[in-house]
Amino acid sequence: MSSDYRQQLEEMYDSVVGEYSDRAVAVLEEVVRMADVHQDVEWSFYAREALVQSATYSGHGDKALVAFSWILAQIDKNPEYEDEFEMDHLLWVYKWIADSLLGFSHISKAQILAIVEDMDRRYRKQGLSLRAVENIRYKVACEFAEEENVQKHFSRWETLPKDGSQDCLACETNFVVNHYLFREKNLEQALLIARPLLEGEQSCHSVPGRTQSNLMLALLKAGRMDEADQMQRKSEGYASHNGDRIHSAGKHLQFLALTDQLSRALRIFEKMVAFAITSREERNRHMFFRGARLLFMKLMDQGHRTVKLRLATDFPVACDEQNQYPVPELVDWFTHEAERVAHLFDARNETVSYGEELIEDLALLKESYPLST
Amino acid sequence: MQKYQFQIHLGGIIDLLSHHLYSGPQVFIRELMQNGVDAIQGRKLIDEEHQGRLDIQVVKATGNQQPSLVFEDNGIGLTEEEVHRFLATIGESSKRADLAKQRNDFIGQFGIGLLSCFMIADEILMITKSARQGDHPAVEWRGKSDGTYEVRLLETHVSPGTRVYLRASQGMENYFDIEQVGKLVHHFGNLLPIPIDLSEGDRRKQINDRRPPWEGVYYSSDEERRSYLEYGRELFDQQFIDYIPLRTETGGITGVAYVLSQATRPKMKSRHRVHLKGMLLSDQVENLLPDWAVFVRCVVNAEQLRPVASREGFYENEELEATRTVLGETLRNYLKGLADQAPQRLQEIINLHHMAICSLASEDKECFRVFGDFIYFETTLGRLTLGECRQRNGILRYVSTVDEFRQIAQIAASQGLCILNAGYVYNQELLSMLKQVDPDVQVDKLDAASLTNHLEDLTLDEREGAFLLLRTADLTLHPYRVASDIKKFEPASLPTIYTSNEQANFARQTRLTKDIVDDTWGGILNSFENEFTNSQYAGLCFNLKNPLIKRLTKVEETSVLKQAIEMLYVQALLMGHHPLSDKEMALLNQGLLGMIESVVEKKEDPNNEV
Ligand SMILES: Nc1ncnc2c1ncn2[C@@H]1O[C@H](COP(=O)(O)OP(=O)(O)OP(=O)(O)O)[C@@H](O)[C@H]1O
Ligand SMILES: [Mg+2]
């Protein structure tokens, strides 16, 4: 049993490290189990670290979080690991984890705040700037619709120093863009700030794809159709790619439904729906379902009773032998899911915004947004 | 507004270029050879018949004189005006596109190479005589590392060409040792088409007297093979199992790719030895071949690719991209050729470089068609090639994770079922490629948990008999989120199988982690468990064919049953490579102690049967 398993571990690890897919996550989970069985602490850490990354980037925030909490606990119990382990990196990852908690309706506000406190404490202990923590506080305030706090945390965030523990440059720019877009409702300013992202000067794993997916809807609502169309086409590749993108994919479904580009929307739907159905990242999945709901409503409005879809078999709505799905049932299923989850979030947040969004979606569907051809 | 020019601190720039651009002082030899070769090329442009030659002399240290080197070429030489213009102007080169009609004729192009000499000498002395202007006197140029230089015309007769004199600066004597110089000249220049002589006193030797195998003419394929493989062995100091001659229009590549005899791992990078017009660029070039081609190591000469300024790699441009594609094509064709002519060797290569081959076949239909059948899969009947799997079974069945595979392996094997493990990288891509290439094959994904559904059911009587065992198992295992079942299956030696799926595994991991985290995180993991994973049960299926299980169905005392079930459960976990929680560990310990106790009791009182 001695070094034999190590070789096996290494082989499995090497074969997927740096890959972001369900398969990579499954293999890394197996590596974790094997390392744990052999009480190989070094590999237990190592594999979980890779798992956190792979799971985050493939839409399995739940798995990332469990692996992450294990690492934290081990370090607390055995402070000597702190020297061996890259604490700065671990804390850098903390913000993904803390951020992801907001997206699960069964995690309470108190629980989230306790984690932010924990993050704060660890950042201080490590002597890091609190910029990343403030960033999370801002996001918490947004989620719970605490308008004064939103402003307060944004101003504070701006003044805190960058020491490498904050988000990458592209993500930070994206963050500011979102602030102007969603909080200040100032599209002009948002576009201006987004320039380095749109011109390719700054980019990362999720930016500018995510930025463009947000801007396209804002441009649409402002009636700037040509620009909106461009944004959509540029970011479609991003949004129809992997399990960590279902949130953006949902926005694309929405956009394409509103602009009456249904066959393009169906293509994205086919590509991404399996990720969305199996995802446990509730808020992201919700965005996808919202988009899907609009898509099938639009199809129904246009008189389509059935639609042909190529899907994995474990889809909740049944089809006939020719892969024909009944549109009304699809509408019902996605509406039901979207309403159910919206209710859960509004209940936790003590807000009404999730519910209102669904109503607003219906209103948008009544408008027409023709693209000039 | 007044315009100013940047001021340049010459000494600083020279220091920067000479010490920081290149990978080390040894490159001065390369740069001098390069200039010599270019000069000879320049002379050939005006006199086709000209026979070029490079001559390097080492002069040993004497008394308080440092050792020195003389680098001589019979190339084009320079006039006084050219000395000022090219030699003494940093960044200026006689080989720029607008000056030399075909930049392609020359290796040099940046106008900085000569500066590398300042890494090993404080002064460069050059005597040069132009071959273009016969009546122009020879020129002596003396350049210093502080950026100053002197020029003087010579009256003595000198034949056309250039000599560079360098005296070692303090601490750099090593680079002037004849052994070292010989090695470096060979290292950088062994493919140069111009003879290079190295001498010290009256010792003299031609360094590059051997031509590479792709320039040879062969009378038999055996001879060719021997020549190629021997060259590779000497050059890289390792054995290769095969060679693939390379020749492309794009990039003007000639050379050879050697097939490594040691197994390669995924994401490994292969490093190649690459020359530009005969001059070694680097033996660490990584971007020459497509990513999947990790199973070969190349030595090549390129005529057209563009070097980066340090001359230690290629510029990543379209031409390089195109070259890479063509080289990839060559390797592909080679493999396809093997499938026809030497399937044995193809199998050998696939065995060694499995990942590389998988990665290629998973992306390329045509390649898949040709050697997909040679690719190995781990199956419940052992390691089989895809071809073998297809011969055996009408339907290909696979499980998608390593964990599931382990759960079912033993039972499937004893049932003679061939199930593929598709939990590793490329496996699923390969299977879906198979479906594309041959739409008639049926490829089915199997769920480990559902495998137990296919096992033989009990008769009604047997069910009756096993009732207490199952009921006790359900009660006992409920806290561990395990549901029990009973079936009949081979191998009879296996008392139970433990099945779980991705969700049940995750649920288990969440519970285990919950045991060790602090309260803050504990609360969160708890919510997760309740929300997603509480309904996820793993399965423990008893095997009625197993003698022990058969005996257990006869036991009526529930406390004994309970203990046995707990032990079987823990054993099943361990067999399935599942780490134990504290509670489960306690079960194991209690169980063991209990067993020991009863064994000891038996010993003490032989009449006391359990
Ligand atoms: N041996 C030589 N014979 C003739 N001309 C030479 C010789 N060595 C240098 N020169 C002249 O000096 C110039 C500068 O040489 P240098 O090596 O610094 O630059 P280069 O060869 O043009 O480009 P690179 O920086 O790529 O080597 C050359 O362009 C050439 O005109
Ligand atoms: Mg040069």
Side-chain angles (χ1 to χ4, degrees):
Chain A
M1 276 246 279
S2 57
S3 63
D4 198 32
Y5 82 90
R6 270 248 170 158
Q7 197 192 337
Q8 215 185 335
L9 282 187
E10 271 169 45
E11 271 170 24
M12 297 204 323
Y13 179 90
D14 282 353
S15 73
V16 297
V17 68
E19 188 185 304
Y20 309 133
S21 65
D22 290 1
R23 193 237 343 263
V25 169
V27 171
L28 289 171
E29 287 181 305
E30 174 77 7
V31 175
V32 165
R33 272 195 297 275
M34 264 168 89
D36 287 356
V37 165
H38 290 91
Q39 302 188 339
D40 186 331
V41 179
E42 193 186 326
W43 267 94
S44 290
F45 269 96
Y46 205 42
R48 278 186 173 85
E49 203 189 356
L51 178 59
V52 170
Q53 171 126 354
S54 203
T56 302
Y57 283 159
S58 59
H60 298 286
D62 48 341
K63 295 190 170 175
L65 175 153
V66 172
F68 182 82
S69 66
W70 184 96
I71 298 177
L72 278 190
Q74 288 296 347
I75 288 181
D76 288 347
K77 286 204 178 109
N78 312 286
E80 70 270 18
Y81 293 157
E82 234 175 88
D83 306 327
E84 281 167 48
F85 204 76
E86 262 295 335
M87 276 309 279
D88 280 2
H89 177 70
L90 185 68
L91 293 180
W92 194 83
V93 169
Y94 207 149
K95 52 180 170 286
W96 296 345
I97 305 293
D99 187 18
S100 75
L101 287 177
L102 291 169
F104 298 103
S105 67
H106 53 93
I107 302 296
S108 71
K109 184 171 176 184
Q111 284 176 316
I112 294 167
L113 291 179
I115 291 298
V116 177
E117 276 319 304
D118 182 61
M119 182 177 169
D120 182 291
R121 184 176 59 77
R122 292 179 196 266
Y123 266 62
R124 279 179 206 275
K125 186 169 161 226
Q126 192 72 5
L128 296 175
S129 164
L130 296 179
R131 191 175 169 91
V133 183
E134 206 58 33
N135 182 298
I136 299 292
R137 291 212 162 95
Y138 170 91
K139 289 174 180 158
V140 173
C142 288
E143 178 69 26
F144 293 95
E146 300 166 343
E147 286 311 322
E148 331 78 274
N149 282 343
V150 169
Q151 280 310 332
K152 184 180 83 188
H153 292 306
F154 187 78
S155 318
R156 260 199 218 151
W157 172 83
E158 280 184 309
T159 62
L160 286 166
K162 302 181 183 184
D163 60 356
S165 64
Q166 78 278 9
D167 266 334
C168 79
L169 185 59
C171 282
E172 287 214 327
T173 308
N174 179 58
F175 172 73
V176 182
V177 173
N178 283 351
H179 178 74
Y180 283 97
L181 206 54
F182 299 124
R183 297 293 138 188
E184 306 280 337
K185 314 265 187 231
N186 184 340
L187 177 58
E188 243 5 275
Q189 185 70 10
L191 283 167
L192 203 66
I193 294 165
R195 255 196 24 221
L197 303 177
L198 302 177
E199 286 168 7
E201 250 167 71
Q202 300 171 8
S203 65
C204 70
H205 181 79
S206 48
V207 171
R210 218 196 269 196
T211 326
Q212 287 160 337
S213 304
N214 286 328
L215 287 170
M216 77 186 175
L217 280 173
L219 286 165
L220 171 107
K221 289 176 196 167
R224 293 162 66 168
M225 299 310 295
D226 285 350
E227 291 158 273
D229 184 43
Q230 263 188 23
M231 286 292 174
Q232 191 278 326
R233 287 176 192 272
K234 280 193 185 140
S235 52
E236 175 172 338
Y238 165 82
S240 49
H241 184 62
N242 203 354
D244 61 330
R245 320 261 164 102
I246 50 176
H247 191 266
S248 293
K251 297 196 171 176
H252 279 256
L253 293 184
Q254 192 173 356
F255 182 93
L256 293 172
L258 293 176
T259 53
D260 201 12
Q261 307 182 68
L262 302 186
S263 97
R264 295 185 59 207
L266 287 172
R267 214 176 57 223
I268 298 182
F269 179 82
E270 285 182 329
K271 262 190 158 169
M272 299 296 286
V273 69
F275 291 121
I277 296 277
T278 53
S279 173
R280 287 186 281 252
E281 293 182 353
E282 220 176 359
R283 193 172 57 176
N284 293 335
R285 196 182 53 188
H286 176 64
M287 185 56 89
F288 188 90
F289 288 179
R290 249 178 85 187
R293 166 177 173 255
L294 281 196
L295 166 61
F296 294 115
M297 283 180 161
K298 184 88 178 184
L299 270 173
M300 198 152 82
D301 283 355
Q302 297 189 350
H304 297 278
R305 302 299 300 167
T306 61
V307 58
K308 234 181 173 148
L309 294 171
R310 280 181 304 144
L311 301 180
T313 42
D314 43 4
F315 187 66
V317 174
C319 65
D320 70 10
E321 265 126 56
Q322 271 87 51
N323 287 336
Q324 302 265 17
Y325 288 78
V327 175
E329 274 180 47
L330 290 168
V331 170
D332 281 352
W333 194 82
F334 284 109
T335 303
H336 174 82
E337 267 306 291
E339 283 173 355
R340 185 181 68 83
V341 176
H343 178 75
L344 288 175
F345 275 107
D346 275 337
R348 174 192 74 176
N349 297 359
E350 299 179 359
T351 55
V352 287
S353 52
Y354 279 83
E356 283 174 354
E357 277 171 356
L358 293 182
I359 297 169
E360 193 200 343
D361 284 352
L362 294 182
L364 287 173
L365 204 56
K366 300 228 161 62
E367 308 276 317
S368 94
Y369 298 95
L371 288 178
S372 58
T373 37
Chain B
M1 206 184 286
Q2 173 123 28
K3 265 200 182 157
Y4 296 95
Q5 278 220 308
F6 279 114
Q7 298 299 300
I8 291 178
H9 174 34
L10 255 186
I13 292 283
I14 290 177
D15 177 65
L16 180 72
L17 290 176
S18 63
H19 286 94
H20 301 289
L21 175 64
Y22 299 114
S23 62
Q26 74 283 356
V27 306
F28 83 96
I29 296 225
R30 182 187 70 196
E31 292 306 315
L32 286 174
M33 285 198 290
Q34 175 265 310
N35 285 349
V37 170
D38 281 354
I40 289 166
Q41 183 59 30
R43 188 154 174 195
K44 277 194 178 148
L45 291 180
I46 57 169
D47 171 11
E48 262 179 62
E49 299 291 290
H50 180 67
Q51 295 289 322
R53 165 182 68 72
L54 289 180
D55 207 82
I56 304 165
Q57 280 170 54
V58 180
V59 183
K60 275 195 175 148
T62 50
N64 51 6
Q65 285 279 40
Q66 289 281 84
S68 61
L69 271 176
V70 186
F71 241 86
E72 184 175 349
D73 67 69
N74 59 353
I76 189 76
L78 295 165
T79 62
E80 184 185 5
E81 186 249 352
E82 288 169 330
V83 164
H84 286 290
R85 184 152 153 228
F86 298 129
L87 205 54
T89 311
I90 294 173
E92 184 61 289
S93 163
S94 54
K95 303 153 198 169
R96 283 194 188 283
D98 49 336
L99 291 169
K101 276 211 186 60
Q102 292 159 292
R103 163 191 263 176
N104 264 343
D105 282 337
F106 301 111
I107 309 174
Q109 52 172 288
F110 302 105
I112 51 175
L114 194 64
L115 297 177
S116 63
C117 293
F118 288 125
M119 287 188 278
I120 46 84
D122 299 323
E123 187 180 286
I124 303 171
L125 173 64
M126 184 187 276
I127 294 179
T128 181
K129 162 94 176 87
S130 172
R132 232 188 297 259
Q133 295 180 26
D135 52 347
H136 191 287
V139 187
E140 179 188 291
W141 175 84
R142 200 180 281 274
K144 299 209 172 72
S145 58
D146 62 4
T148 59
Y149 70 94
E150 292 157 14
V151 178
R152 162 169 98 91
L153 294 181
L154 298 183
E155 262 141 50
T156 44
H157 170 79
V158 179
S159 51
T162 303
R163 250 178 282 164
V164 179
Y165 297 82
L166 300 169
R167 188 171 296 284
S169 54
Q170 283 299 329
M172 291 296 165
E173 299 79 4
N174 268 347
Y175 294 100
F176 290 69
D177 172 59
I178 177 122
E179 295 274 316
Q180 179 71 2
V181 174
K183 258 192 217 148
L184 289 173
V185 172
H186 183 81
H187 179 70
F188 290 118
N190 79 95
L191 281 193
L192 282 175
I194 295 164
I196 309 171
D197 279 347
L198 175 64
S199 63
E200 182 186 56
D202 32 295
R203 282 163 69 195
R204 166 176 290 275
K205 170 172 174 218
Q206 190 187 331
I207 300 285
N208 55 344
D209 52 356
R210 190 155 166 216
R211 299 311 303 158
W214 56 89
E215 287 180 10
V217 180
Y218 303 102
Y219 299 104
S220 73
S221 55
D222 271 356
E223 186 195 353
E224 177 183 303
R225 186 174 176 82
R226 220 176 311 121
S227 161
Y228 267 100
L229 288 178
E230 190 181 290
Y231 185 81
R233 189 174 60 239
E234 277 174 24
L235 187 65
F236 292 116
D237 198 18
Q238 73 187 98
Q239 292 281 358
F240 297 103
I241 53 177
D242 207 0
Y243 69 99
I244 307 153
L246 304 173
R247 183 176 298 274
T248 71
E249 285 285 314
T250 6
I253 302 269
T254 49
V256 48
Y258 288 108
V259 180
L260 299 170
S261 63
Q262 262 130 25
T264 43
R265 300 223 267 155
K267 306 203 173 126
M268 219 165 87
K269 289 253 166 165
S270 193
R271 301 205 160 85
H272 310 291
R273 199 177 157 88
V274 175
H275 303 76
L276 182 64
K277 295 191 201 324
M279 176 78 66
L280 180 77
L281 269 189
S282 160
D283 50 10
Q284 305 288 325
V285 173
E286 286 183 354
N287 58 358
L288 182 70
L289 296 180
D291 283 342
W292 52 264
V294 296
F295 63 103
V296 291
R297 190 155 180 203
C298 300
V299 45
V300 300
N301 183 36
E303 286 296 327
Q304 277 145 39
L305 296 177
R306 196 167 148 217
V308 296
S310 68
R311 227 193 294 287
E312 280 157 27
F314 288 122
Y315 221 68
E316 188 58 66
N317 60 11
E318 274 166 31
E319 178 144 41
L320 179 57
E321 179 70 50
T323 308
R324 205 161 28 224
T325 311
V326 180
L327 289 175
E329 200 55 39
T330 309
L331 297 184
R332 237 177 267 242
N333 289 337
Y334 159 79
L335 292 171
K336 284 190 225 157
L338 284 187
D340 264 359
Q341 288 142 27
Q344 208 68 5
R345 188 171 303 150
L346 179 60
Q347 189 70 69
E348 189 185 353
I349 291 176
I350 291 180
N351 291 354
L352 278 172
H353 308 297
H354 197 239
M355 280 302 177
I357 299 291
C358 286
S359 123
L360 174 58
S362 66
E363 290 173 1
D364 184 320
K365 247 191 203 168
E366 209 190 322
C367 285
F368 184 90
R369 204 169 275 136
V370 178
F371 49 76
D373 274 352
F374 289 84
I375 288 173
Y376 280 109
F377 269 80
E378 182 179 15
T379 81
T380 45
L381 302 182
R383 217 164 89 111
L384 295 177
T385 63
L386 202 51
E388 290 167 329
C389 294
R390 290 173 61 183
Q391 262 170 19
R392 271 167 206 248
N393 313 285
I395 304 173
L396 288 186
R397 296 198 174 82
Y398 71 94
V399 288
S400 60
T401 68
V402 183
D403 178 51
E404 281 186 292
F405 183 76
R406 213 189 20 239
Q407 292 174 32
I408 55 133
Q410 218 180 346
I411 309 168
S414 61
Q415 241 87 320
L417 278 178
C418 176
I419 295 169
L420 280 62
N421 179 358
Y424 293 114
V425 100
Y426 303 127
N427 290 346
Q428 285 178 46
E429 286 87 337
L430 287 167
L431 289 176
S432 67
M433 192 56 110
L434 174 64
K435 266 198 273 192
Q436 284 180 42
V437 168
D438 185 354
D440 294 336
V441 226
Q442 196 181 336
V443 183
D444 283 354
K445 180 173 157 175
L446 205 76
D447 177 0
S450 71
L451 183 80
T452 55
N453 297 341
H454 299 303
L455 300 174
E456 190 188 338
D457 277 308
L458 309 198
T459 63
L460 280 179
D461 285 349
E462 285 167 338
R463 270 187 62 83
E464 207 87 323
F467 184 78
L468 185 63
L469 173 65
L470 277 195
R471 224 184 84 85
T472 318
D474 276 338
L475 290 175
T476 311
L477 298 179
H478 175 75
Y480 306 99
R481 304 267 173 262
V482 174
S484 60
D485 197 357
I486 186 161
K487 296 262 178 167
K488 290 189 284 190
F489 51 88
E490 295 296 339
S493 59
L494 197 67
T496 60
I497 49 170
Y498 175 80
T499 55
S500 66
N501 55 18
E502 179 259 341
Q503 285 143 359
N505 278 341
F506 177 52
R508 192 174 158 77
Q509 183 63 42
T510 307
R511 275 196 304 280
L512 288 178
T513 306
K514 203 175 69 181
D515 285 350
I516 67 162
V517 298
D518 62 21
D519 290 348
T520 319
W521 279 103
I524 288 184
L525 296 189
N526 221 1
S527 318
F528 267 92
E529 203 190 338
N530 293 337
E531 181 68 18
F532 295 125
T533 62
N534 225 355
S535 54
Q536 291 306 327
Y537 276 67
L540 187 72
C541 182
F542 298 102
N543 181 8
L544 194 63
K545 286 201 176 166
N546 177 270
L548 174 70
I549 302 296
K550 230 181 249 163
R551 281 181 64 190
L552 283 180
T553 58
K554 308 262 156 33
V555 174
E556 278 170 15
E557 205 174 327
T558 44
S559 67
V560 176
L561 270 182
K562 184 166 181 290
Q563 210 175 9
I565 289 163
E566 285 169 348
M567 288 296 280
L568 285 167
Y569 166 61
V570 176
Q571 186 214 19
L573 283 179
L574 289 175
M575 299 240 313
H577 294 206
H578 289 278
L580 302 185
S581 68
D582 292 347
K583 258 200 308 193
E584 289 155 352
M585 196 57 105
L587 283 188
L588 179 64
N589 291 336
Q590 282 159 22
L592 278 176
L593 288 179
M595 265 165 49
I596 294 170
E597 242 164 59
S598 67
V599 170
V600 174
E601 264 171 32
K602 250 203 231 168
K603 269 255 158 80
E604 285 168 348
D605 179 3
N607 299 326
N608 187 357
E609 285 270 330
V610 180

